[in-house]
Amino acid sequence: MRAILALTGKDLLQTGRDRLAALFTFILPILFTVFFGFLFGSSGSDRLPVALLNLDDGAPAQSLITTLERGGMVELRPYSAVQRLGLEEAVQKDNVAAGLIIPQGFGSASDANVPSAPAIVVGKMGSSGSQSVMQSVRSAVDRVLGARAATAAALAALDLDSSPGSAEFQGGLAVSEAAYEHPTVTVIAEDAGTEAGRTPRGFDLSSPGMLVNWILFSLLTAAVALVQERKTGALRRLLTTRVRGIQIIAGKTGAMLCITLTQQVVLIGLGQFVLGVDYLRNPPALLLAMFSLSLLAASLGLMLATILRSEQAVISATVIISMVLAAMGGAWFPLEITGSTFAAIGHVTPAAWVLDAFRGVILQGQGVLQVLPGLAVVWGYALLFFAVAVWRFRFE
Amino acid sequence: MTFIKVENLRKQFDPPRGIVAVDGLSFHMDEGEIYSLLGPNGAGKTTTISMLSCLLRPSGGDARVGGHSVREHPQAAKELIGVVPQDIALYPELSARENLVFWGKMYGLSGAALRRRVGEVLEIIDLTERQDERIEKYSGGMKRRVNIGVALLHEPRALYLDEPTVGIDPQSRRSILDVILQFRDRGMTILYTTHYMAEAQELSDRIGIMDHGRMLAEGTHEELVKIVGEEAHVELTVDRHLEQLATAWREMDGVARVTVEEERAILLVPDATVTLPRLFETAAAVQARINEVNVTEPDLEMVFLHLTGRALRD
Ligand SMILES: Nc1ncnc2c1ncn2[C@@H]1O[C@H](COP(=O)(O)OP(=O)(O)OP(=O)(O)O)[C@@H](O)[C@H]1O
Ligand SMILES: [Mg+2]
């Protein structure tokens, strides 16, 4: 056991000294994750951007804004009255999903049962973004004005002062608004694409995709190190000492697991804490997926370094295989957008199954039992690669 | 006392049609002696060492190291030997100290014993001062020294060195040879392979000359050169009185034979150091001047040429 640890430690020290390894292990993966994230979704936030022109300073307008912001669907970007043209331009150029104009006197007439100046949504015909904005605004308006109307009606029925400025009205309004916060009946809309889940954003796709891609790629350094060890005769020399072949293989595997797990912790940390990808929805399932990915990378690296002789061959094979696996497995673009045939072909690769597990955790909060069947496929592959590596392992 | 005994050792790569690299080799090494295997490229030196280090399984025959058969008890045999491979089998990204610590662990050392031994080895290979530099920044000679150092960590009783001085400057070569002689003086048994005749001659207690996997001749340097005769060839060119001088030299003690060829006299001389000054005296007596002297002592090169009809170096 001590010999295995020493072998692992030596490999880690070597990798730590290798500048190119640092580039492949951390720097490029981070750059690619961020880059692909922006490519997949232009906005870093999952709220729809809405340009807001507020021409009213009354209480109903304020509560409409608060309600919209709390609703989490839209992100309001305030414009001033003189920027009205700018707002329309922003809508035209798709810089925002829609524009919202709150007119002067919004909500003021509602208490007297007279139609008040309506809020205006400026959007593009047929744009799904402006449709969603329209719906959010409509329900927010209903809610704000509904609360006021209900309060006024109740006060009137009790013969109390129902004018918006009165203390009774303020108290009643607070009660009605609180009632809206905790509705007794709610309707939750589910997106069929991601059951019980969140709508994927750019980083939700790029972060796990690039994770799988670069973990597979990082086995390059380990594989090349092993080939060099064979070339210098160090591997052969090891056999003149006390260690046995199987200990050498175990030590190498240990090092590859350590390297790829560290890499995953860094990339997942980046995803979770910087890019807002929710990896921690189910930590046990996440750990299982991470471990499976590392196992896959280690076994594949060991196998390639074992069956190929020259450094050149190992480099080209690793680059090609890791890229093809990642691309076919959906690390570069989600398989869902490619159609079912390609998705089925993609699932021949273990990369697709690992990626499914990661996305299951991020988007649907899947647990261990749900990710297990897919990860079992990954272990099958890992076992196969290990078997070939041990069977064909050569010391010279 | 015999420490290593090689009997009828044979290695064929990729049988049945592959090359027979070692072909019925037998020799023995006494404890505390330096034995050199001298042979040209491809003679089978490395293959022999690999079998004696239990890296390659012999196709036939056996070898015993400290009484342990390399076939039957390779682990026991390995404990007794340190192997210095022909290639620099080290980790270039690690420093000399880190390499030694790693290899020490591979030999089963740990803790204080490991630290102590690494310190000692760094002293022996004279790299204490530069122990923390990465090996890749070392000169060829320094790398070779670390390569040797690794094999000393577990204080083996026998050391195999496979061409440890290839491709390094004369100064480094000198220091390596000195270190090897020190080991011998401490009682280590040393198997050395080389294709440099001068090294074999200087270091070895006994030499085995190998070619094509076979032992052509074996013995001390003196015993081997006797195969081609013991006398040195002395070639002399004089400006006058050549015939007269030749006659005088024929009469002289310590000159075995004199032949005259054009302007030169060729003498066979058992001991050139004693005879040469007297040759000059006789020339001076007849006022002749010796313009050129060429002395060729019989050497292993001549032995190899004699045995194979080929030169040792290509
Ligand atoms: N692994 C191998 N497979 C096949 N043939 C081999 C192998 N190793 C060595 N040989 C062959 O065996 C013969 C002896 O090689 P060996 O390396 O023992 O020679 P050597 O005396 O050490 O030569 P050098 O001075 O060049 O190191 C050579 O013809 C070589 O090509
Ligand atoms: Mg050799």
Side-chain angles (χ1 to χ4, degrees), chain A residues 2 6 10 14 17 229 232-234 236-239 241-243, chain B residues 50 55 78-79 83 85 89 91 93 98 103 106-107 110 134 147:
Chain A
R2 199 183 274 159
K10 186 268 300 164
Q14 263 185 305
R17 296 267 163 90
E229 225 171 326
T232 60
R236 199 169 131 89
R237 183 176 215 170
L238 277 171
L239 290 187
T241 69
R242 274 197 196 166
V243 287
Chain B
S50 298
L55 280 175
K78 275 191 207 173
E79 297 276 321
V83 184
Y91 297 100
E93 303 88 351
E98 287 162 341
W103 287 103
M106 294 301 104
Y107 282 117
S110 63
R134 292 190 197 182
N147 206 33

PDB file of all heavy atoms in Angstrom, chain A residues 2 6 10 14 17 229 232-234 236-239 241-243, chain B residues 50 55 78-79 83 85 89 91 93 98 103 106-107 110 134 147:
ATOM      1  N   ARG A   2       1.963   1.212   0.802  1.00  0.00           N
ATOM      2  CA  ARG A   2       2.840   2.378   0.876  1.00  0.00           C
ATOM      3  C   ARG A   2       3.481   2.652  -0.488  1.00  0.00           C
ATOM      4  O   ARG A   2       3.622   3.804  -0.901  1.00  0.00           O
ATOM      5  CB  ARG A   2       3.916   2.112   1.920  1.00  0.00           C
ATOM      6  CG  ARG A   2       4.576   3.388   2.384  1.00  0.00           C
ATOM      7  CD  ARG A   2       5.676   3.065   3.349  1.00  0.00           C
ATOM      8  NE  ARG A   2       5.200   2.934   4.713  1.00  0.00           N
ATOM      9  CZ  ARG A   2       5.880   2.264   5.657  1.00  0.00           C
ATOM     10  NH1 ARG A   2       7.003   1.658   5.347  1.00  0.00           N
ATOM     11  NH2 ARG A   2       5.419   2.197   6.880  1.00  0.00           N
ATOM     12  N   ALA A   6       3.235   5.987  -2.766  1.00  0.00           N
ATOM     13  CA  ALA A   6       4.437   6.678  -3.238  1.00  0.00           C
ATOM     14  C   ALA A   6       4.376   6.873  -4.747  1.00  0.00           C
ATOM     15  O   ALA A   6       4.760   7.924  -5.274  1.00  0.00           O
ATOM     16  CB  ALA A   6       5.677   5.873  -2.854  1.00  0.00           C
ATOM     17  N   LYS A  10       4.267  10.465  -6.580  1.00  0.00           N
ATOM     18  CA  LYS A  10       5.261  10.829  -7.588  1.00  0.00           C
ATOM     19  C   LYS A  10       4.576  11.342  -8.850  1.00  0.00           C
ATOM     20  O   LYS A  10       4.974  12.374  -9.412  1.00  0.00           O
ATOM     21  CB  LYS A  10       6.134   9.604  -7.880  1.00  0.00           C
ATOM     22  CG  LYS A  10       7.298   9.822  -8.797  1.00  0.00           C
ATOM     23  CD  LYS A  10       6.976   9.555 -10.247  1.00  0.00           C
ATOM     24  CE  LYS A  10       6.534   8.125 -10.453  1.00  0.00           C
ATOM     25  NZ  LYS A  10       5.878   7.963 -11.757  1.00  0.00           N
ATOM     26  N   GLN A  14       4.856  15.092 -10.458  1.00  0.00           N
ATOM     27  CA  GLN A  14       5.249  15.303 -11.852  1.00  0.00           C
ATOM     28  C   GLN A  14       4.239  16.174 -12.586  1.00  0.00           C
ATOM     29  O   GLN A  14       4.603  17.102 -13.293  1.00  0.00           O
ATOM     30  CB  GLN A  14       5.311  13.951 -12.571  1.00  0.00           C
ATOM     31  CG  GLN A  14       6.681  13.348 -12.655  1.00  0.00           C
ATOM     32  CD  GLN A  14       6.625  12.087 -13.474  1.00  0.00           C
ATOM     33  OE1 GLN A  14       5.852  11.175 -13.177  1.00  0.00           O
ATOM     34  NE2 GLN A  14       7.422  12.007 -14.515  1.00  0.00           N
ATOM     35  N   ARG A  17       4.334  19.761 -11.713  1.00  0.00           N
ATOM     36  CA  ARG A  17       5.474  20.501 -12.236  1.00  0.00           C
ATOM     37  C   ARG A  17       5.298  20.859 -13.704  1.00  0.00           C
ATOM     38  O   ARG A  17       6.071  21.628 -14.262  1.00  0.00           O
ATOM     39  CB  ARG A  17       6.750  19.632 -12.125  1.00  0.00           C
ATOM     40  CG  ARG A  17       7.156  19.305 -10.736  1.00  0.00           C
ATOM     41  CD  ARG A  17       8.146  20.314 -10.219  1.00  0.00           C
ATOM     42  NE  ARG A  17       8.249  20.264  -8.781  1.00  0.00           N
ATOM     43  CZ  ARG A  17       9.116  19.476  -8.138  1.00  0.00           C
ATOM     44  NH1 ARG A  17       9.934  18.709  -8.811  1.00  0.00           N
ATOM     45  NH2 ARG A  17       9.154  19.486  -6.835  1.00  0.00           N
ATOM     46  N   GLU A 229       7.538   7.280 -19.308  1.00  0.00           N
ATOM     47  CA  GLU A 229       8.128   6.436 -18.285  1.00  0.00           C
ATOM     48  C   GLU A 229       8.602   5.118 -18.892  1.00  0.00           C
ATOM     49  O   GLU A 229       9.607   4.556 -18.491  1.00  0.00           O
ATOM     50  CB  GLU A 229       7.058   6.147 -17.238  1.00  0.00           C
ATOM     51  CG  GLU A 229       7.541   6.277 -15.833  1.00  0.00           C
ATOM     52  CD  GLU A 229       6.396   6.187 -14.859  1.00  0.00           C
ATOM     53  OE1 GLU A 229       5.281   6.650 -15.190  1.00  0.00           O
ATOM     54  OE2 GLU A 229       6.608   5.646 -13.773  1.00  0.00           O
ATOM     55  N   THR A 232      11.888   6.036 -21.073  1.00  0.00           N
ATOM     56  CA  THR A 232      13.142   6.245 -20.336  1.00  0.00           C
ATOM     57  C   THR A 232      13.615   4.969 -19.653  1.00  0.00           C
ATOM     58  O   THR A 232      14.752   4.907 -19.200  1.00  0.00           O
ATOM     59  CB  THR A 232      12.982   7.298 -19.221  1.00  0.00           C
ATOM     60  OG1 THR A 232      11.996   6.845 -18.305  1.00  0.00           O
ATOM     61  CG2 THR A 232      12.590   8.642 -19.783  1.00  0.00           C
ATOM     62  N   GLY A 233      12.762   3.968 -19.583  1.00  0.00           N
ATOM     63  CA  GLY A 233      13.164   2.738 -18.920  1.00  0.00           C
ATOM     64  C   GLY A 233      12.850   2.756 -17.428  1.00  0.00           C
ATOM     65  O   GLY A 233      13.181   1.821 -16.709  1.00  0.00           O
ATOM     66  N   ALA A 234      12.200   3.842 -16.961  1.00  0.00           N
ATOM     67  CA  ALA A 234      11.880   3.930 -15.533  1.00  0.00           C
ATOM     68  C   ALA A 234      10.901   2.834 -15.124  1.00  0.00           C
ATOM     69  O   ALA A 234      11.010   2.253 -14.046  1.00  0.00           O
ATOM     70  CB  ALA A 234      11.305   5.306 -15.203  1.00  0.00           C
ATOM     71  N   ARG A 236      10.607  -0.104 -16.432  1.00  0.00           N
ATOM     72  CA  ARG A 236      11.359  -1.346 -16.382  1.00  0.00           C
ATOM     73  C   ARG A 236      12.190  -1.401 -15.108  1.00  0.00           C
ATOM     74  O   ARG A 236      12.276  -2.432 -14.444  1.00  0.00           O
ATOM     75  CB  ARG A 236      12.277  -1.324 -17.593  1.00  0.00           C
ATOM     76  CG  ARG A 236      12.834  -2.605 -18.039  1.00  0.00           C
ATOM     77  CD  ARG A 236      13.467  -2.312 -19.397  1.00  0.00           C
ATOM     78  NE  ARG A 236      14.812  -2.842 -19.435  1.00  0.00           N
ATOM     79  CZ  ARG A 236      15.077  -4.086 -19.827  1.00  0.00           C
ATOM     80  NH1 ARG A 236      14.104  -4.863 -20.214  1.00  0.00           N
ATOM     81  NH2 ARG A 236      16.303  -4.523 -19.850  1.00  0.00           N
ATOM     82  N   ARG A 237      12.781  -0.250 -14.780  1.00  0.00           N
ATOM     83  CA  ARG A 237      13.608  -0.201 -13.582  1.00  0.00           C
ATOM     84  C   ARG A 237      12.778  -0.494 -12.335  1.00  0.00           C
ATOM     85  O   ARG A 237      13.262  -1.110 -11.386  1.00  0.00           O
ATOM     86  CB  ARG A 237      14.251   1.177 -13.463  1.00  0.00           C
ATOM     87  CG  ARG A 237      15.178   1.272 -12.286  1.00  0.00           C
ATOM     88  CD  ARG A 237      15.885   2.605 -12.236  1.00  0.00           C
ATOM     89  NE  ARG A 237      17.222   2.399 -11.726  1.00  0.00           N
ATOM     90  CZ  ARG A 237      18.175   3.306 -11.731  1.00  0.00           C
ATOM     91  NH1 ARG A 237      17.957   4.482 -12.247  1.00  0.00           N
ATOM     92  NH2 ARG A 237      19.356   3.031 -11.253  1.00  0.00           N
ATOM     93  N   LEU A 238      11.517  -0.026 -12.358  1.00  0.00           N
ATOM     94  CA  LEU A 238      10.645  -0.281 -11.212  1.00  0.00           C
ATOM     95  C   LEU A 238      10.563  -1.775 -10.917  1.00  0.00           C
ATOM     96  O   LEU A 238      10.454  -2.183  -9.770  1.00  0.00           O
ATOM     97  CB  LEU A 238       9.243   0.269 -11.488  1.00  0.00           C
ATOM     98  CG  LEU A 238       9.049   1.760 -11.221  1.00  0.00           C
ATOM     99  CD1 LEU A 238       7.698   2.210 -11.727  1.00  0.00           C
ATOM    100  CD2 LEU A 238       9.188   2.053  -9.737  1.00  0.00           C
ATOM    101  N   LEU A 239      10.636  -2.557 -11.980  1.00  0.00           N
ATOM    102  CA  LEU A 239      10.522  -4.003 -11.793  1.00  0.00           C
ATOM    103  C   LEU A 239      11.777  -4.616 -11.193  1.00  0.00           C
ATOM    104  O   LEU A 239      11.753  -5.769 -10.780  1.00  0.00           O
ATOM    105  CB  LEU A 239      10.199  -4.690 -13.118  1.00  0.00           C
ATOM    106  CG  LEU A 239       8.797  -4.422 -13.654  1.00  0.00           C
ATOM    107  CD1 LEU A 239       8.551  -5.289 -14.862  1.00  0.00           C
ATOM    108  CD2 LEU A 239       7.742  -4.695 -12.596  1.00  0.00           C
ATOM    109  N   THR A 241      13.012  -3.294  -8.583  1.00  0.00           N
ATOM    110  CA  THR A 241      12.856  -3.025  -7.147  1.00  0.00           C
ATOM    111  C   THR A 241      11.847  -4.013  -6.577  1.00  0.00           C
ATOM    112  O   THR A 241      11.539  -5.019  -7.210  1.00  0.00           O
ATOM    113  CB  THR A 241      12.352  -1.590  -6.911  1.00  0.00           C
ATOM    114  OG1 THR A 241      11.015  -1.487  -7.374  1.00  0.00           O
ATOM    115  CG2 THR A 241      13.209  -0.579  -7.644  1.00  0.00           C
ATOM    116  N   ARG A 242      11.309  -3.657  -5.400  1.00  0.00           N
ATOM    117  CA  ARG A 242      10.402  -4.592  -4.752  1.00  0.00           C
ATOM    118  C   ARG A 242       8.989  -4.559  -5.290  1.00  0.00           C
ATOM    119  O   ARG A 242       8.218  -5.472  -5.049  1.00  0.00           O
ATOM    120  CB  ARG A 242      10.309  -4.235  -3.278  1.00  0.00           C
ATOM    121  CG  ARG A 242      11.377  -4.870  -2.475  1.00  0.00           C
ATOM    122  CD  ARG A 242      10.934  -4.801  -1.038  1.00  0.00           C
ATOM    123  NE  ARG A 242      12.076  -5.044  -0.189  1.00  0.00           N
ATOM    124  CZ  ARG A 242      12.074  -4.797   1.101  1.00  0.00           C
ATOM    125  NH1 ARG A 242      11.012  -4.279   1.669  1.00  0.00           N
ATOM    126  NH2 ARG A 242      13.131  -5.061   1.809  1.00  0.00           N
ATOM    127  N   VAL A 243       8.602  -3.437  -5.944  1.00  0.00           N
ATOM    128  CA  VAL A 243       7.196  -3.305  -6.309  1.00  0.00           C
ATOM    129  C   VAL A 243       6.799  -4.296  -7.389  1.00  0.00           C
ATOM    130  O   VAL A 243       7.617  -4.720  -8.206  1.00  0.00           O
ATOM    131  CB  VAL A 243       6.833  -1.891  -6.814  1.00  0.00           C
ATOM    132  CG1 VAL A 243       6.798  -0.915  -5.696  1.00  0.00           C
ATOM    133  CG2 VAL A 243       7.744  -1.465  -7.917  1.00  0.00           C
TER     134      VAL A 243
ATOM    135  N   SER B  50      19.802  -8.122 -17.994  1.00  0.00           N
ATOM    136  CA  SER B  50      18.362  -8.173 -17.727  1.00  0.00           C
ATOM    137  C   SER B  50      17.960  -9.517 -17.123  1.00  0.00           C
ATOM    138  O   SER B  50      17.101  -9.573 -16.247  1.00  0.00           O
ATOM    139  CB  SER B  50      17.569  -7.958 -19.013  1.00  0.00           C
ATOM    140  OG  SER B  50      17.836  -6.686 -19.536  1.00  0.00           O
ATOM    141  N   LEU B  55      14.598  -9.373 -14.874  1.00  0.00           N
ATOM    142  CA  LEU B  55      13.655  -8.622 -15.707  1.00  0.00           C
ATOM    143  C   LEU B  55      13.206  -9.462 -16.886  1.00  0.00           C
ATOM    144  O   LEU B  55      12.096  -9.344 -17.368  1.00  0.00           O
ATOM    145  CB  LEU B  55      14.318  -7.359 -16.253  1.00  0.00           C
ATOM    146  CG  LEU B  55      14.403  -6.166 -15.325  1.00  0.00           C
ATOM    147  CD1 LEU B  55      15.196  -5.059 -15.974  1.00  0.00           C
ATOM    148  CD2 LEU B  55      13.008  -5.685 -14.957  1.00  0.00           C
ATOM    149  N   LYS B  78      16.554 -10.350  -6.311  1.00  0.00           N
ATOM    150  CA  LYS B  78      16.473  -8.899  -6.522  1.00  0.00           C
ATOM    151  C   LYS B  78      16.928  -8.100  -5.311  1.00  0.00           C
ATOM    152  O   LYS B  78      17.501  -7.029  -5.441  1.00  0.00           O
ATOM    153  CB  LYS B  78      15.011  -8.510  -6.807  1.00  0.00           C
ATOM    154  CG  LYS B  78      14.577  -8.652  -8.249  1.00  0.00           C
ATOM    155  CD  LYS B  78      13.221  -7.976  -8.377  1.00  0.00           C
ATOM    156  CE  LYS B  78      12.384  -8.562  -9.486  1.00  0.00           C
ATOM    157  NZ  LYS B  78      11.026  -8.005  -9.472  1.00  0.00           N
ATOM    158  N   GLU B  79      16.631  -8.626  -4.114  1.00  0.00           N
ATOM    159  CA  GLU B  79      16.981  -7.903  -2.896  1.00  0.00           C
ATOM    160  C   GLU B  79      18.483  -7.655  -2.801  1.00  0.00           C
ATOM    161  O   GLU B  79      18.917  -6.714  -2.144  1.00  0.00           O
ATOM    162  CB  GLU B  79      16.548  -8.714  -1.658  1.00  0.00           C
ATOM    163  CG  GLU B  79      15.067  -8.939  -1.555  1.00  0.00           C
ATOM    164  CD  GLU B  79      14.333  -7.769  -0.910  1.00  0.00           C
ATOM    165  OE1 GLU B  79      14.879  -7.202   0.051  1.00  0.00           O
ATOM    166  OE2 GLU B  79      13.238  -7.426  -1.386  1.00  0.00           O
ATOM    167  N   VAL B  83      20.619  -2.281  -9.823  1.00  0.00           N
ATOM    168  CA  VAL B  83      20.791  -2.285 -11.273  1.00  0.00           C
ATOM    169  C   VAL B  83      20.886  -0.849 -11.788  1.00  0.00           C
ATOM    170  O   VAL B  83      20.015  -0.031 -11.525  1.00  0.00           O
ATOM    171  CB  VAL B  83      19.609  -2.984 -11.969  1.00  0.00           C
ATOM    172  CG1 VAL B  83      19.848  -3.072 -13.472  1.00  0.00           C
ATOM    173  CG2 VAL B  83      19.376  -4.359 -11.379  1.00  0.00           C
ATOM    174  N   PRO B  85      20.665   0.885 -15.164  1.00  0.00           N
ATOM    175  CA  PRO B  85      20.354   0.588 -16.559  1.00  0.00           C
ATOM    176  C   PRO B  85      21.172   1.439 -17.525  1.00  0.00           C
ATOM    177  O   PRO B  85      21.711   2.474 -17.151  1.00  0.00           O
ATOM    178  CB  PRO B  85      18.874   0.921 -16.686  1.00  0.00           C
ATOM    179  CG  PRO B  85      18.444   1.548 -15.425  1.00  0.00           C
ATOM    180  CD  PRO B  85      19.582   1.592 -14.485  1.00  0.00           C
ATOM    181  N   ALA B  89      17.121   6.055 -16.395  1.00  0.00           N
ATOM    182  CA  ALA B  89      15.742   5.725 -16.029  1.00  0.00           C
ATOM    183  C   ALA B  89      15.362   6.498 -14.776  1.00  0.00           C
ATOM    184  O   ALA B  89      15.323   5.961 -13.675  1.00  0.00           O
ATOM    185  CB  ALA B  89      15.620   4.220 -15.810  1.00  0.00           C
ATOM    186  N   TYR B  91      13.124  10.375 -13.323  1.00  0.00           N
ATOM    187  CA  TYR B  91      12.041  11.303 -13.632  1.00  0.00           C
ATOM    188  C   TYR B  91      12.608  12.710 -13.780  1.00  0.00           C
ATOM    189  O   TYR B  91      12.985  13.322 -12.790  1.00  0.00           O
ATOM    190  CB  TYR B  91      10.960  11.236 -12.550  1.00  0.00           C
ATOM    191  CG  TYR B  91      10.350   9.859 -12.515  1.00  0.00           C
ATOM    192  CD1 TYR B  91      10.726   8.920 -11.563  1.00  0.00           C
ATOM    193  CD2 TYR B  91       9.456   9.478 -13.513  1.00  0.00           C
ATOM    194  CE1 TYR B  91      10.188   7.647 -11.578  1.00  0.00           C
ATOM    195  CE2 TYR B  91       8.921   8.209 -13.533  1.00  0.00           C
ATOM    196  CZ  TYR B  91       9.289   7.288 -12.568  1.00  0.00           C
ATOM    197  OH  TYR B  91       8.772   6.027 -12.591  1.00  0.00           O
ATOM    198  N   GLU B  93      11.438  15.615 -14.285  1.00  0.00           N
ATOM    199  CA  GLU B  93      10.783  16.778 -13.657  1.00  0.00           C
ATOM    200  C   GLU B  93      11.096  16.851 -12.167  1.00  0.00           C
ATOM    201  O   GLU B  93      10.818  17.865 -11.539  1.00  0.00           O
ATOM    202  CB  GLU B  93       9.260  16.694 -13.800  1.00  0.00           C
ATOM    203  CG  GLU B  93       8.732  16.589 -15.210  1.00  0.00           C
ATOM    204  CD  GLU B  93       8.656  15.149 -15.691  1.00  0.00           C
ATOM    205  OE1 GLU B  93       9.174  14.239 -14.988  1.00  0.00           O
ATOM    206  OE2 GLU B  93       8.091  14.919 -16.767  1.00  0.00           O
ATOM    207  N   GLU B  98      14.356  14.208  -4.813  1.00  0.00           N
ATOM    208  CA  GLU B  98      13.024  13.622  -4.964  1.00  0.00           C
ATOM    209  C   GLU B  98      13.086  12.279  -5.682  1.00  0.00           C
ATOM    210  O   GLU B  98      12.373  11.335  -5.329  1.00  0.00           O
ATOM    211  CB  GLU B  98      12.110  14.576  -5.731  1.00  0.00           C
ATOM    212  CG  GLU B  98      11.681  15.766  -4.907  1.00  0.00           C
ATOM    213  CD  GLU B  98      11.141  16.915  -5.746  1.00  0.00           C
ATOM    214  OE1 GLU B  98      11.414  16.955  -6.966  1.00  0.00           O
ATOM    215  OE2 GLU B  98      10.468  17.772  -5.182  1.00  0.00           O
ATOM    216  N   TRP B 103      12.664   6.442  -5.330  1.00  0.00           N
ATOM    217  CA  TRP B 103      13.198   5.098  -5.596  1.00  0.00           C
ATOM    218  C   TRP B 103      13.491   4.355  -4.288  1.00  0.00           C
ATOM    219  O   TRP B 103      13.322   3.143  -4.204  1.00  0.00           O
ATOM    220  CB  TRP B 103      14.439   5.175  -6.494  1.00  0.00           C
ATOM    221  CG  TRP B 103      14.082   5.514  -7.901  1.00  0.00           C
ATOM    222  CD1 TRP B 103      14.225   6.727  -8.513  1.00  0.00           C
ATOM    223  CD2 TRP B 103      13.497   4.651  -8.886  1.00  0.00           C
ATOM    224  NE1 TRP B 103      13.763   6.673  -9.807  1.00  0.00           N
ATOM    225  CE2 TRP B 103      13.317   5.408 -10.070  1.00  0.00           C
ATOM    226  CE3 TRP B 103      13.107   3.312  -8.881  1.00  0.00           C
ATOM    227  CZ2 TRP B 103      12.766   4.882 -11.233  1.00  0.00           C
ATOM    228  CZ3 TRP B 103      12.563   2.781 -10.043  1.00  0.00           C
ATOM    229  CH2 TRP B 103      12.395   3.566 -11.197  1.00  0.00           C
ATOM    230  N   MET B 106      10.531   2.700  -3.306  1.00  0.00           N
ATOM    231  CA  MET B 106      10.286   1.520  -4.141  1.00  0.00           C
ATOM    232  C   MET B 106      11.108   0.329  -3.663  1.00  0.00           C
ATOM    233  O   MET B 106      10.739  -0.814  -3.854  1.00  0.00           O
ATOM    234  CB  MET B 106      10.625   1.810  -5.612  1.00  0.00           C
ATOM    235  CG  MET B 106       9.733   2.836  -6.267  1.00  0.00           C
ATOM    236  SD  MET B 106       7.981   2.386  -6.253  1.00  0.00           S
ATOM    237  CE  MET B 106       7.354   3.432  -4.991  1.00  0.00           C
ATOM    238  N   TYR B 107      12.264   0.643  -3.021  1.00  0.00           N
ATOM    239  CA  TYR B 107      13.078  -0.450  -2.476  1.00  0.00           C
ATOM    240  C   TYR B 107      12.640  -0.824  -1.070  1.00  0.00           C
ATOM    241  O   TYR B 107      13.279  -1.617  -0.394  1.00  0.00           O
ATOM    242  CB  TYR B 107      14.555  -0.054  -2.451  1.00  0.00           C
ATOM    243  CG  TYR B 107      15.231  -0.144  -3.794  1.00  0.00           C
ATOM    244  CD1 TYR B 107      15.751   0.985  -4.417  1.00  0.00           C
ATOM    245  CD2 TYR B 107      15.375  -1.368  -4.444  1.00  0.00           C
ATOM    246  CE1 TYR B 107      16.381   0.915  -5.640  1.00  0.00           C
ATOM    247  CE2 TYR B 107      16.008  -1.456  -5.671  1.00  0.00           C
ATOM    248  CZ  TYR B 107      16.507  -0.318  -6.264  1.00  0.00           C
ATOM    249  OH  TYR B 107      17.133  -0.405  -7.469  1.00  0.00           O
ATOM    250  N   SER B 110      11.855   3.634   4.321  1.00  0.00           N
ATOM    251  CA  SER B 110      10.919   4.677   4.723  1.00  0.00           C
ATOM    252  C   SER B 110      11.470   5.414   5.936  1.00  0.00           C
ATOM    253  O   SER B 110      12.445   4.987   6.559  1.00  0.00           O
ATOM    254  CB  SER B 110       9.553   4.077   5.039  1.00  0.00           C
ATOM    255  OG  SER B 110       9.687   3.210   6.138  1.00  0.00           O
ATOM    256  N   ARG B 134      16.109  20.255 -10.528  1.00  0.00           N
ATOM    257  CA  ARG B 134      15.489  19.206 -11.341  1.00  0.00           C
ATOM    258  C   ARG B 134      16.533  18.523 -12.205  1.00  0.00           C
ATOM    259  O   ARG B 134      17.428  19.162 -12.737  1.00  0.00           O
ATOM    260  CB  ARG B 134      14.447  19.808 -12.267  1.00  0.00           C
ATOM    261  CG  ARG B 134      13.272  20.335 -11.524  1.00  0.00           C
ATOM    262  CD  ARG B 134      12.207  20.679 -12.511  1.00  0.00           C
ATOM    263  NE  ARG B 134      11.225  21.542 -11.893  1.00  0.00           N
ATOM    264  CZ  ARG B 134      10.154  21.983 -12.518  1.00  0.00           C
ATOM    265  NH1 ARG B 134       9.953  21.656 -13.769  1.00  0.00           N
ATOM    266  NH2 ARG B 134       9.307  22.749 -11.898  1.00  0.00           N
ATOM    267  N   ASN B 147      21.682   8.274 -11.760  1.00  0.00           N
ATOM    268  CA  ASN B 147      21.250   6.960 -12.250  1.00  0.00           C
ATOM    269  C   ASN B 147      21.943   5.845 -11.463  1.00  0.00           C
ATOM    270  O   ASN B 147      21.327   4.830 -11.142  1.00  0.00           O
ATOM    271  CB  ASN B 147      21.582   6.851 -13.747  1.00  0.00           C
ATOM    272  CG  ASN B 147      20.687   5.880 -14.476  1.00  0.00           C
ATOM    273  OD1 ASN B 147      19.518   5.722 -14.138  1.00  0.00           O
ATOM    274  ND2 ASN B 147      21.241   5.221 -15.495  1.00  0.00           N
TER     275      ASN B 147
END
